[in-house]
Amino acid sequence: MSKAFMSAPDTRHGRDGGGRRQYVTGYVLSLVLTAIAFMLVAFHVLPVPLLLVLLMALAALQVLVQLFLFMHVTEGDGSRVKGLAIGLGLFFTLAIALGSIWIMTFNSQVQ
């Protein structure tokens, strides 16, 4: 390898530790969102239908935290294509989850 390539500074996160700060923020947010979901389920604070909706919202927030703070979705080329792929993935995930809940609810009404 050339000496210039090996000594090139890593400019992705800057010299102030912005990358480390971003990872710590993502980690803390992930812990907080997980703790909230756990407490809601463990202590039965809400009726089940409302709890399911709230858990799905917390899961969506968790996905966004993972994508933006850990996987750096907005960085680099083709961010529009990445956004479209993420939106499509979230759509399919939501369709599968809601479809499964609908099928399980319908099945319990039939029997």
Side-chain angles (χ1 to χ4, degrees):
M1 285 188 203
S2 71
K3 190 173 184 176
F5 178 73
M6 291 174 38
S7 64
D10 187 7
T11 58
R12 289 180 292 176
H13 301 299
R15 293 182 176 241
D16 64 343
R20 188 174 306 136
R21 187 176 343 176
Q22 188 175 2
Y23 289 131
V24 170
T25 302
Y27 181 68
V28 169
L29 280 173
S30 294
L31 287 177
V32 167
L33 289 170
T34 302
I36 291 171
F38 177 77
M39 295 298 176
L40 288 173
V41 172
F43 296 118
H44 306 289
V45 251
L46 298 170
V48 174
L50 183 60
L51 181 64
L52 286 173
V53 171
L54 191 57
L55 287 176
M56 278 198 243
L58 287 171
L61 284 174
Q62 185 80 267
V63 167
L64 292 176
V65 166
Q66 299 291 326
L67 287 173
F68 288 103
L69 296 178
F70 290 119
M71 300 176 85
H72 310 287
V73 168
T74 57
E75 294 178 8
D77 296 334
S79 60
R80 179 175 288 181
V81 173
K82 289 179 190 176
L84 182 61
I86 289 168
L88 192 59
L90 287 174
F91 171 75
F92 284 130
T93 302
L94 187 63
I96 290 169
L98 291 176
S100 298
I101 291 170
W102 179 68
I103 288 170
M104 288 185 286
T105 302
F106 179 73
N107 188 32
S108 68
Q109 291 174 356
V110 171
Q111 293 178 356

